[in-house]
Amino acid sequence: MKNQLILLTGFLGAGKTTFLNNILHEYEGFRIGLVVNEFSQTGVDGALIRRDIPNTNMVELNNGSIFCACIKDTFVDSLVAMGEQGLDYVFVEASGLADPSSIASILDQIRTFRQIEYAYQGAVCLVDALNFAKHVKVLVSLRRQVTYSRAVIINKTDLVDEAGLVQCEDAIREIKPDMPIFRTTFGRISLKELLAGTASQAPAPTESTNTADTRPITVTLKTTETVPGGKLREFLGAIAPMTYRIKGFCKTEEGPLEVSLVGESFRIDPWPEEVEETQLVIISSVGVRIVSDALAAAKACFQQPFELK
């Protein structure tokens, strides 16, 4: 069966890209299409996707949610183009605050008006064990991600104790009592086994809450300065409390670094490729205030001119 489509959802930093790389290894040998979606203008996740898997075609859709009118037409066009290639599987990695409740309507539109048929296998939602119970109380999109999934994977289970994991599971089952839940770290779980062991569910489609008005404030910091590692960490520490997510690549005195920050949890790793300029995507949890806060922190930490927009 061709054109099987699987949607991957999950909050910012839940581990979707790591899980997707594991999927690519598991499905090696098939013809695969990837749609990678980010809210920011600057794409970061695409650089982290494995490029050594043959017969893989990837499209990056940035600067909005694929379920929002701002880039939904581009998403539809991408699925039409992939559908014409007769791929075995198409995996869609949605942005962290995506509300996927309109996916069935989008696929119906493609079938009706473009004559492209997708066999939708459902959505799989990744949950950050450390932060989900806190964020789901205030973010409608996270509740929608659970509602419209066939299974939930609790990732990063090594970061919390058993009581924290039970709290996370309770928060999930409060939304959907019969939800199949799996625990893992680093996205290490077989998608084939997960799909074989769960039933595809199709809640009634509704309108997505992703609109231009609900889009999170996102800015990108750029500088060509070779930043001291200590100053970079100082900058990240200063703005972390005001963000949901910071990610990107940095040009530092320690060499190229990949930065991944969720809340106040840091991960800074060596990056194997040259970085001509620092580019950090900053997704705000405090609205437009992030602009002034990031500007003040950057002025205190960087010596050379930088761009923040």
Side-chain angles (χ1 to χ4, degrees), residues 196-209:
T198 61
S200 180
Q201 302 174 31
T206 186
E207 196 66 28
S208 173
T209 59

Side-chain angles (χ1 to χ4, degrees), residues 103-301:
I103 182 64
S105 297
I106 290 172
L107 295 179
D108 283 345
Q109 174 188 343
I110 292 172
R111 180 174 61 252
T112 302
F113 297 104
R114 304 290 191 95
Q115 287 73 57
I116 298 294
E117 184 82 32
Y118 274 99
Y120 183 48
Q121 302 302 306
V124 176
C125 178
L126 264 75
V127 159
D128 179 346
L130 190 61
N131 295 302
F132 178 78
K134 173 178 64 177
H135 291 313
V136 75
K137 296 176 182 178
V138 295
L139 296 171
V140 173
S141 57
L142 269 64
R143 296 195 291 275
R144 291 284 185 93
Q145 288 174 11
V146 171
T147 299
Y148 284 85
S149 291
R150 66 184 289 172
V152 170
I153 300 169
I154 301 180
N155 198 28
K156 303 185 179 182
T157 56
D158 55 322
L159 300 182
V160 298
D161 58 17
E162 181 62 24
L165 291 173
V166 171
Q167 181 186 24
C168 189
E169 291 180 343
D170 287 345
I172 294 166
R173 292 212 162 96
E174 205 172 295
I175 301 167
K176 199 169 183 179
D178 58 348
M179 174 63 72
I181 299 174
F182 302 84
R183 296 181 180 184
T184 191
T185 59
F186 299 100
R188 296 188 185 119
I189 187 168
S190 167
L191 180 63
K192 290 180 181 179
E193 292 179 8
L194 184 153
L195 295 178
T198 61
S200 180
Q201 302 174 31
T206 186
E207 196 66 28
S208 173
T209 59
N210 287 151
T211 67
D213 292 334
T214 61
R215 177 176 169 174
I217 299 297
T218 304
V219 295
T220 301
L221 182 141
K222 297 181 181 181
T223 178
T224 58
E225 178 181 352
T226 303
V227 182
K231 286 296 183 182
L232 172 63
R233 290 170 175 82
E234 183 181 330
F235 170 76
L236 295 172
I239 67 169
M242 283 77 73
T243 68
Y244 286 128
R245 184 85 162 104
I246 305 174
K247 58 182 177 179
F249 306 101
C250 298
K251 179 183 178 182
T252 80
E253 292 179 353
E254 301 173 13
L257 297 177
E258 177 200 349
V259 169
S260 179
L261 184 150
V262 182
E264 298 184 50
S265 175
F266 285 71
R267 199 193 77 231
I268 301 177
D269 298 319
W271 181 248
E273 301 174 14
E274 286 300 314
V275 174
E276 295 183 0
E277 67 173 355
T278 290
Q279 294 193 48
L280 287 174
V281 173
I282 303 164
I283 302 178
S284 172
S285 62
V286 295
V288 295
R289 177 184 140 199
I290 193 62
V291 177
S292 58
D293 288 341
L295 183 62
K299 285 180 177 178
C301 296

Side-chain angles (χ1 to χ4, degrees), residues 21-55:
N21 278 330
N22 294 339
I23 290 172
L24 290 178
H25 177 73
E26 183 179 16
Y27 283 76
E28 190 168 356
F30 291 99
R31 298 186 65 199
I32 293 173
L34 303 177
V35 178
V36 179
N37 174 221
E38 295 190 60
F39 274 113
S40 61
Q41 294 182 358
T42 304
V44 173
D45 290 346
L48 302 173
I49 301 294
R50 291 184 59 175
R51 303 301 177 108
D52 60 335
I53 304 295
N55 301 316

